[in-house]
Amino acid sequence: MKVLVVEDDKIAQLGIKKILSSGDLSVELVLAENGKEGVDYFDKAEAAGTDFVLLDLNMPVMNGFEFLETIRNNEKLKDLPVVVHTTSDNIEDLNKCRALGISGGPNRDIQGNVIGSIGIHLDITKLKELEKFREELIMDLTESNDELRNYAHVVSHDLKTPLRSISAAMSWLKEDNQDSLDEMSQSYLAIVDEALLKMDKIISDTLRYSEIKRMSNSESAVDLNHLVTHLINDLKQSYPDTSININGTLPKLIMNDTKALQVFQNILDNACKYRDPNRASQVTISCGVIFGFYEIQIKDNGIGIPEGSAHRIFEIFQKLNNNKDSNGVGMSIAKKIIETYGGKIWFESEVGKGTTFKFNLPRSLTAKA
């Protein structure tokens, strides 16, 4: 249940929160300190699903009466239940609230004494049933995901066995007939070899992708400066003409070191691979802090990503060109790992100028010094 509390008094806010949180019902409270904040809240997407409003009357900027008048004149909000809580013993105030269609509040006699209450009662039976159904659905989905991951592991293993047999048979065929095969036959065998290697890589990548969310007990303090520096040295062997630099300092995080390496390796490999042949290739890695997250940027001056292809970047087995060295899995793996740790990844790109991949990770992952 979602409740908007429009109340300027901090003590009253705490009291309301304590009362509404004391039962079995799961309640999400949204606080507004005056009527204007309450009205503005309904302009936001997060206001969807608000069940009712708990309203104070005496507040600065916009009081409770003005708030009531505003929402009762709004076609979408006019039927929203509103419960008034107030210390006012003014009969005119209460009558005015009733005229504006409040759903609950104190009921007083002609002298202003509280003799009871008026209000609505919500039957939450259906809500509790929905919560139970949601929990069961989450449990079923978890079991299904585990089964799919196990299935992918078994299938990958079973597919690799015949591949090894084919590869071995091809090797023997070439050795036994090396002198008798003409050039055309040798080219056919080379095509088969290349296809076998590609299939083996696809199976391996599928297995890696399926295992990303498996629980790992090998998480430790990973110094990203150290990890990325070693990775840069390795990449220079494959891309000697690309300059890769760390600008500033990268954090030390509690992660699985293999998964951390996969994230940087897949993004950096793409940055180096899709260079612009008309200029010196440069890649820069930097990190900043935005609110509760580290935001890491990997910027290149490569060929860029066409706007019409942007939606395919993080889809598994999707490639933007016919590069034979790519299976279209790397960025999917990077995205899944980052999301597993509570972050997200996105990019900005301009064709002919380059691409900047950005991803964030919670600062709660920071390793203790």
Side-chain angles (χ1 to χ4, degrees), residues 73-317:
N73 289 321
N74 185 305
E75 189 64 30
K76 294 181 179 179
L77 302 175
K78 65 179 183 179
D79 297 321
L80 181 68
V82 178
V83 176
V84 168
H85 70 99
T86 179
T87 57
S88 173
D89 57 1
N90 188 313
I91 298 298
E92 291 183 3
D93 285 351
L94 298 181
N95 288 335
K96 188 175 181 181
C97 286
R98 292 189 182 103
L100 288 168
I102 66 166
S103 304
N107 191 19
R108 301 175 186 268
D109 61 19
I110 194 168
Q111 284 80 33
N113 301 312
V114 177
I115 58 174
S117 65
I118 56 173
I120 58 169
H121 297 276
L122 301 176
D123 183 355
I124 63 170
T125 304
K126 291 292 184 183
L127 184 60
K128 298 296 286 185
E129 290 175 355
L130 285 172
E131 286 185 354
K132 183 179 179 182
F133 175 74
R134 175 178 172 273
E135 291 173 359
E136 292 174 350
L137 184 61
I138 290 173
M139 188 178 297
D140 289 343
L141 286 172
T142 301
E143 291 176 358
S144 296
N145 285 335
D146 289 340
E147 289 175 1
L148 283 172
R149 282 193 286 269
N150 290 332
Y151 177 75
H153 188 277
V154 171
V155 169
S156 298
H157 178 271
D158 289 348
L159 284 174
K160 283 205 169 194
T161 301
L163 274 183
R164 293 191 190 99
S165 299
I166 296 171
S167 181
M170 289 292 298
S171 178
W172 298 332
L173 179 64
K174 286 188 288 185
E175 288 178 7
D176 294 343
N177 299 277
Q178 188 173 7
D179 298 329
S180 59
L181 291 172
D182 58 24
E183 186 176 341
M184 182 66 73
S185 298
Q186 290 182 10
S187 68
Y188 291 155
L189 292 177
I191 292 172
V192 175
D193 280 340
E194 185 177 335
L196 286 171
L197 288 172
K198 184 177 181 180
M199 188 64 188
D200 183 74
K201 191 172 189 306
I202 289 174
I203 294 171
S204 297
D205 287 342
T206 302
L207 182 59
R208 283 195 299 148
Y209 185 80
S210 70
E211 290 184 331
I212 287 172
K213 287 196 174 182
R214 284 182 182 270
M215 296 300 292
S216 173
N217 296 321
S218 59
E219 293 188 343
S220 58
V222 179
D223 186 340
L224 295 184
N225 286 292
H226 181 76
L227 180 143
V228 174
T229 298
H230 276 271
L231 176 59
I232 290 172
N233 291 332
D234 291 340
L235 287 170
K236 284 181 178 178
Q237 306 301 314
S238 302
Y239 306 101
D241 297 328
T242 298
S243 172
I244 311 174
N245 297 293
I246 300 174
N247 185 5
T249 304
L250 301 178
K252 182 183 288 187
L253 304 178
I254 300 297
M255 296 182 69
N256 177 281
D257 56 352
T258 301
K259 291 180 179 178
L261 178 63
Q262 283 181 299
V263 170
F264 283 95
Q265 188 169 32
N266 286 319
I267 300 175
L268 286 172
D269 188 67
N270 272 6
C272 296
K273 188 183 299 177
Y274 299 108
R275 57 174 296 181
D276 187 328
N278 298 318
R279 57 173 173 262
S281 178
Q282 295 182 338
V283 180
T284 304
I285 306 157
S286 60
C287 179
V289 175
I290 298 181
F291 299 111
F293 290 84
Y294 293 108
E295 183 175 292
I296 297 172
Q297 299 188 14
I298 299 178
K299 182 178 182 179
D300 66 60
N301 64 342
I303 59 176
I305 300 169
E307 187 175 346
S309 302
H311 66 284
R312 296 163 51 199
I313 292 297
F314 299 113
E315 293 181 6
I316 190 168
F317 297 128

Side-chain angles (χ1 to χ4, degrees), residues 328-346:
V329 178
M331 295 309 297
S332 303
I333 289 175
K335 179 176 183 289
K336 197 170 182 181
I337 291 172
I338 290 165
E339 290 177 348
T340 298
Y341 282 100
K344 65 177 183 177
I345 182 171
W346 67 100

Side-chain angles (χ1 to χ4, degrees), residues 38-45 47 74:
V39 171
D40 291 343
Y41 164 74
F42 286 107
D43 291 331
K44 301 176 182 177
N74 185 305

